Amino acid sequence: MVSSPHEAMHRVFQDHPGLFSRVGPALGVDFPAYTSFDVMPTDLTELQPVERRVDTLLRFDTERDGSFLLAVEAQGRKDPAKLASWAYYLGYLNSKHEVPPVLLVVCQDRATARWASQPIRIGPAAWTSFAVFPLVAGPHNLPVITDPAEAAEDLALAVLAAVTHAKEPDVGAILKALSAALRDVPEDVADPLTELTAQGLGKLPAADLWRNLMAVDLSFYKSPISQEIRAEGEARALLVVLQARGFELPAATEQKVSECRDSRTLNQWLSRAATADSLDEVFRED
């Protein structure tokens, strides 16, 4: 099953393809500036019943060196089976599109990044017939962005830094800088990046920190995650009021309130809870 961090680590390149040109220096590779780009189909399935999909596939066109394909793979753990898949992806892409491909692997921990960085050599011991040299981005080489001004200069890179450093000790400072930077940009820019960060943090402890940062001043945020945080607070307030008024809450009722994420419904229940004589009156269907 694909995890939220997996999706975020490659989707940020779909949403912000130009991010690759800024990640390159951190990887020690200087790719030429692109003049245009296209988001490519990710399906690498052949006619045979074997389905293969790269996570994200982009095409970049440059003035100096022509075009190249960028295959982005998000990798959360060591998986020996992936080595053959990555070699297949590059061979297939080169053959199908007749455009040189590059493989970028994005990792969230250093051990996986070290494993993914090793060259993939295919062939007998006496001769390497085919070799793949993945580019790997992760906590070992992406910048630690803890200055809100620096984060504001490149929000997509700041999001990628936060996601790839999610397991690192300095993730708190990174998230605080990103949160501060997002407050000063339009909602249509901030909201997708806020959600992408939450997705990338998954269920790690850093995800709770991010939610707390979003809850500090929700007037800045109208994204789904901030709306969910508001609803959670309203649900807790309703339970407090019901208990204070002496109602005995069945487990099913408490679960119904705790899981509700519709602010309008919660506010309606809360308004009734102040004067209602029974739980049926609080939760009646209009």
Side-chain angles (χ1 to χ4, degrees), residues 20-53:
F20 180 62
S21 64
R22 282 105 69 191
V23 170
L27 310 181
V29 183
D30 182 22
F31 281 93
Y34 64 89
T35 55
S36 63
F37 65 83
D38 292 302
V39 178
M40 305 284 286
T42 61
D43 190 352
L44 307 186
T45 307
E46 296 191 59
L47 295 178
Q48 295 83 356
V50 177
E51 183 175 322
R52 299 179 187 269
R53 291 181 184 273

Side-chain angles (χ1 to χ4, degrees), residues 1-278:
M1 182 177 180
V2 175
S3 65
S4 293
H6 177 280
E7 288 296 293
M9 284 192 288
H10 72 84
R11 259 197 50 218
V12 66
F13 289 92
Q14 289 186 24
D15 297 344
H16 302 272
L19 174 61
F20 180 62
S21 64
R22 282 105 69 191
V23 170
L27 310 181
V29 183
D30 182 22
F31 281 93
Y34 64 89
T35 55
S36 63
F37 65 83
D38 292 302
V39 178
M40 305 284 286
T42 61
D43 190 352
L44 307 186
T45 307
E46 296 191 59
L47 295 178
Q48 295 83 356
V50 177
E51 183 175 322
R52 299 179 187 269
R53 291 181 184 273
V54 67
D55 288 335
T56 285
L57 182 62
L58 304 169
R59 173 178 174 139
F60 292 91
D61 301 313
T62 73
E63 291 184 351
R64 189 185 74 193
D65 296 331
S67 304
F68 68 93
L69 299 177
L70 176 67
V72 184
E73 284 280 287
Q75 194 65 27
R77 59 181 176 83
K78 299 177 184 178
D79 182 1
K82 272 292 187 178
L83 302 180
S85 295
W86 291 340
Y88 172 88
Y89 293 167
L90 295 189
Y92 178 90
L93 290 170
N94 189 67
S95 175
K96 178 179 180 179
H97 297 285
E98 297 183 345
V99 175
V102 175
L103 172 64
L104 173 64
V105 183
V106 185
C107 302
Q108 226 172 6
D109 67 87
R110 295 172 184 269
T112 303
R114 284 194 298 270
W115 166 80
S117 298
Q118 300 176 10
I120 305 168
R121 301 184 185 278
I122 298 175
W127 187 261
T128 299
S129 301
F130 181 36
V132 175
F133 299 90
L135 284 173
V136 179
H140 64 297
N141 57 7
L142 288 183
V144 176
I145 302 175
T146 58
D147 180 1
E150 184 181 356
E153 291 177 0
D154 195 334
L155 289 170
L157 183 60
V159 169
L160 185 63
V163 171
T164 53
H165 287 85
K167 300 177 182 179
E168 298 287 301
D170 46 19
V171 66
I174 296 173
L175 292 176
K176 289 177 183 177
L178 176 58
S179 174
L182 288 174
R183 296 181 184 184
D184 297 326
V185 299
E187 289 177 14
D188 60 342
V189 176
D191 286 355
L193 292 171
T194 299
E195 293 300 315
L196 194 59
T197 304
Q199 186 179 29
L201 299 175
K203 297 181 179 180
L204 293 170
D208 293 330
L209 174 58
W210 184 242
R211 291 174 67 84
N212 290 336
L213 287 169
M214 296 298 96
V216 168
D217 189 345
L218 292 175
S219 63
F220 286 107
Y221 303 99
K222 293 186 174 65
S223 64
I225 187 175
S226 58
Q227 293 169 5
E228 182 178 341
I229 293 171
R230 287 191 187 92
E232 288 176 356
E234 291 161 352
R236 287 194 296 270
L238 174 58
L239 292 174
V240 169
V241 170
L242 291 173
Q243 291 167 356
R245 295 207 59 219
F247 289 116
E248 293 187 8
L249 299 179
T253 300
E254 188 169 349
Q255 182 178 1
K256 176 181 179 179
V257 172
S258 298
E259 294 180 354
C260 181
R261 292 295 177 267
D262 183 64
S263 289
R264 182 176 179 180
T265 299
L266 287 166
N267 282 321
Q268 187 177 54
W269 289 343
L270 185 58
S271 177
R272 293 173 184 168
T275 58
D277 295 323
S278 67

